[in-house]
Amino acid sequence: MTDTATPFPNAPAPSTPPAEPRLTSLSHGGGCGCKIAPGVLSEILRQGQAAMPLPPELMVGIETADDAAVYRLNDEQALVATTDFFMPVVDDPYDFGRIAATNALSDVYAMGGRPILALALVGMPINVLSTATIGRILEGGAAVCRAAGIPVAGGHTIDSVEAIYGLVALGLVHPSRVRRNADARPGDVLVLGKPLGVGVLSAALKKGRLDAAGYAAMIDSTTRLNTPGPALAALDGVHAITDVTGFGLAGHALEMARGAGCDIRLRWADVPLLPGVRALAEAGHVTGASGRNWAGYGAEVALPAAWAAPDQALLTDPQTSGGLLVACSPETAPAVLRIFRDEGFAQAAVIGEVRPAAGGAGRLQLG
């Protein structure tokens, strides 16, 4: 007879490992909603910027709050360098890794460049998250890099109180095809590549109010690489490109207006939105970053007389891995839309125009 008695009858029963917390519960803010508020950031940069000589090869630095630095290597190549990282915006570790990597690579595409390699930036609470969960985050990031045709060639890790993941992204662009956010011209029209509403969806998710369809729309948008960037930059009629991220559509349009010394008018009715976000915003599912954004730049925005609070929340909604915002000549707009749609951006739309400055330059008007 087989002896089935417990060899150590007085030993305690094996304990069940504690369940891991939701990723979003570990962060005070997720995705690009983690960004320092625009007004506070401007003050920090003013105080911390030391005067120093800049090399002539530096084509784009911090002077216009652009998406990436660009350094001219030779007559045919310029290096695009950027970094982006944040705390979880979703609970699925693989999806979090994909979103963070897509968002980081977007800055290279926004300059007109093609990524060539990435380095991982990883900060994890190793006493809270399992190595399997952390591994899934990194797998998600690596999958996006494979889709972009580049390796994750290294990186850096730390033990952190909050989960943090992102990339250093490097790319190449021909010097004549660098597209800054500051070169829009009066008469240009504005084309937005992705619909708005990621911040609203993430707020609803954190409160348990996002359904499966809303989550699917959020993941589809935030993991769609902004690959049209290089083809757009190759068009002579495209004058400026940026991507819409943590400061919302209003904040990044204002950066474009300030850099160009122009005003921008947006036709709010033409701005595409992700499905269901207006109803969620009306129900109060908005991020704290939306209010901080408005506090930072709201004085520079002229709103219509009849303007609802949910519209303001969507205008300032932080977009994690948002779409490209393109300033181009009106005759180039059909080609811009064709490039977007050929690469899977079906909701790309003309949403406004660039105007000569009226009074103080760099203002935004909603119509």
Side-chain angles (χ1 to χ4, degrees), residues 304-344:
W307 184 255
D311 290 319
Q312 181 175 308
L314 290 166
L315 179 66
T316 59
D317 190 51
Q319 300 305 289
T320 301
S321 190
L324 298 178
L325 181 64
V326 181
C328 65
S329 64
E331 57 270 22
T332 308
V336 168
L337 290 170
R338 184 165 55 250
I339 288 170
F340 271 124
R341 287 167 185 164
D342 286 349
E343 297 202 30

Side-chain angles (χ1 to χ4, degrees), residues 41-323:
L41 179 59
S42 296
E43 183 64 22
I44 291 171
L45 292 176
R46 276 196 301 270
Q47 294 181 9
Q49 179 63 24
M52 62 176 292
L54 298 177
E57 294 85 0
L58 185 64
M59 298 179 65
V60 182
I62 67 171
E63 59 280 349
T64 58
D66 222 317
D67 299 298
V70 181
Y71 188 93
R72 186 186 186 103
L73 299 175
N74 52 53
D75 290 344
E76 300 295 323
Q77 294 177 312
L79 179 69
V80 183
T82 185
T83 184
D84 215 314
F85 54 89
F86 46 61
M87 281 88 82
V89 67
V90 295
D91 292 311
D92 184 278
Y94 186 77
D95 284 346
F96 170 42
R98 290 200 295 155
I99 293 168
T102 306
N103 180 73
L105 294 177
S106 181
D107 288 339
V108 176
Y109 293 123
M111 303 306 298
R114 297 184 185 277
I116 55 172
L117 66 86
L119 307 174
L121 300 173
V122 184
M124 295 291 156
I126 58 174
N127 61 330
V128 175
L129 295 179
S130 68
T131 55
T133 295
I134 296 170
R136 285 292 285 168
I137 294 171
L138 271 61
E139 286 175 23
V144 165
C145 289
R146 283 196 299 273
I150 66 169
V152 180
H156 185 64
T157 61
I158 62 169
D159 184 1
S160 171
V161 175
E162 295 183 286
I164 299 170
Y165 177 70
L167 301 176
V168 173
L170 301 178
L172 292 174
V173 62
H174 192 284
S176 68
R177 292 186 176 178
V178 173
R179 291 295 181 265
R180 305 191 309 160
N181 65 357
D183 294 328
R185 304 176 186 177
D188 280 352
V189 298
L190 295 177
V191 182
L192 180 63
K194 290 184 183 182
L196 301 182
V198 171
V200 167
L201 295 179
S202 68
L205 175 68
K206 201 162 187 176
K207 296 175 184 176
R209 295 291 187 267
L210 187 64
D211 61 19
Y215 185 79
M218 177 181 172
I219 297 302
D220 178 71
S221 179
T222 55
T223 60
R224 188 177 296 274
L225 287 163
N226 278 321
T227 52
L232 295 172
L235 298 175
D236 291 338
V238 169
H239 303 134
I241 305 176
T242 191
D243 61 346
V244 178
T245 54
F247 297 153
L249 175 60
H252 293 284
L254 278 167
E255 286 180 341
M256 186 176 280
R258 293 187 200 110
C262 299
D263 290 345
I264 283 178
R265 183 180 184 274
L266 297 180
R267 297 190 298 275
W268 185 241
D270 295 335
V271 174
L273 301 176
L274 287 164
V277 298
R278 186 178 295 281
L280 288 169
E282 290 172 350
H285 297 298
V286 298
T287 70
S290 181
R292 292 193 297 274
N293 282 342
W294 183 255
Y297 54 65
E300 301 169 74
V301 182
L303 298 177
W307 184 255
D311 290 319
Q312 181 175 308
L314 290 166
L315 179 66
T316 59
D317 190 51
Q319 300 305 289
T320 301
S321 190

